[in-house]
Amino acid sequence: MIALFFGAPGVGKGTQASLISQREGIPYLSTGEALRNAIAKQTEVGKLAQTYVESGGLVPDDVVTRIVDETLKQPEFAKGAILDGYPRTTAQAEALTEILRGYGKAVSVVVNITVDTETIVKRLLLRGRKDDKEEIIRHRFGVYAKETAPLLDYYTNAGAAIKTIDGDAEVEVVYERVYTSLNA
Ligand code: AMP
């Protein structure tokens, strides 16, 4: 299974994607987490990504696609993959289609988690990550609506199953909804 987790910043997609990964034993990649690690270590990629991540903009497509390409080469990803936060643009979606084609695979399911915007702003201000300042949060929402939300149509056209989940509930309740939708 190749599953993508979609949703605006703060809907809880990272939490849900990593829970499914741990409990179902499917390897997981969060490009946001990979970038934050690279920034912490000040690798070449980290130095390049830092200003984009901290201002809530998108890191250039080729940089994130390289991370995904390298990760999917690892043997454990032969079982399947859960991708959180990638793809975020049409160019990334097209690149992912090509990478997966090389393994004779395609995205099977998109888990699209939704939560009302003002509820998420409150959640993110509580989380308090470096890019969780109100102005940057609102900028990230704009980027999501413009660049990433249209990818739901891309995947509908590509024949993936789109599972839209109401994410406005306790973590375990949302988990049940996600789990049930993936096993339906
Ligand atoms: P996330 O942890 O998914 O919320 O991502 C945090 C930040 O990392 C985003 O606001 C972007 O700056 C950057 N980022 C993560 N994934 C991508 C991606 N697929 N394309 C471009 N930038 C990304």
Side-chain angles (χ1 to χ4, degrees), residues 8-10 13 30-33 35-36 39 49-61 64-65 68 84-89 92 127 129 131 136 140 143:
K13 64 183 184 305
S30 154
T31 45
E33 201 175 283
L35 292 167
R36 282 187 292 279
I39 292 168
Q50 187 155 12
T51 45
Y52 298 101
V53 173
E54 289 178 359
S55 64
L58 290 183
V59 174
D61 291 331
V64 275
T65 294
V68 173
D84 160 22
Y86 184 94
R88 266 177 152 95
T89 64
Q92 291 178 21
R127 181 171 73 176
R129 211 167 70 189
D131 54 347
I136 299 174
R140 282 159 55 215
V143 171

Side-chain angles (χ1 to χ4, degrees), residues 1-67:
M1 175 174 72
I2 310 285
L4 308 182
F5 277 65
F6 270 43
V11 294
K13 64 183 184 305
T15 304
Q16 295 298 330
S18 71
L19 278 175
I20 290 281
S21 165
Q22 283 162 30
R23 295 181 187 174
E24 299 300 306
I26 305 168
Y28 161 74
L29 171 65
S30 154
T31 45
E33 201 175 283
L35 292 167
R36 282 187 292 279
N37 287 337
I39 292 168
K41 290 190 195 136
Q42 286 290 295
T43 63
E44 283 306 305
V45 167
K47 285 181 197 160
L48 207 156
Q50 187 155 12
T51 45
Y52 298 101
V53 173
E54 289 178 359
S55 64
L58 290 183
V59 174
D61 291 331
D62 58 325
V63 175
V64 275
T65 294
R66 209 172 315 132
I67 295 173

Side-chain angles (χ1 to χ4, degrees), residues 114-181:
T114 61
V115 177
D116 160 75
T117 305
E118 294 312 311
T119 309
I120 315 182
V121 173
K122 285 190 203 121
R123 269 197 203 174
L124 286 175
L125 289 172
L126 288 173
R127 181 171 73 176
R129 211 167 70 189
K130 202 167 179 181
D131 54 347
D132 289 338
K133 311 243 179 350
E134 183 149 358
E135 205 185 297
I136 299 174
I137 293 170
R138 297 211 184 264
H139 178 60
R140 282 159 55 215
F141 282 143
V143 171
Y144 183 80
K146 181 162 176 277
E147 305 281 349
T148 308
L151 296 184
L152 288 172
D153 282 341
Y154 176 94
Y155 284 107
T156 304
N157 292 333
I162 312 285
K163 309 288 188 179
T164 295
I165 308 287
D166 175 6
D168 193 8
E170 296 293 321
V171 170
E172 286 299 332
V173 174
V174 178
Y175 179 80
E176 272 309 311
R177 292 175 187 164
V178 173
Y179 179 87
T180 307
S181 80

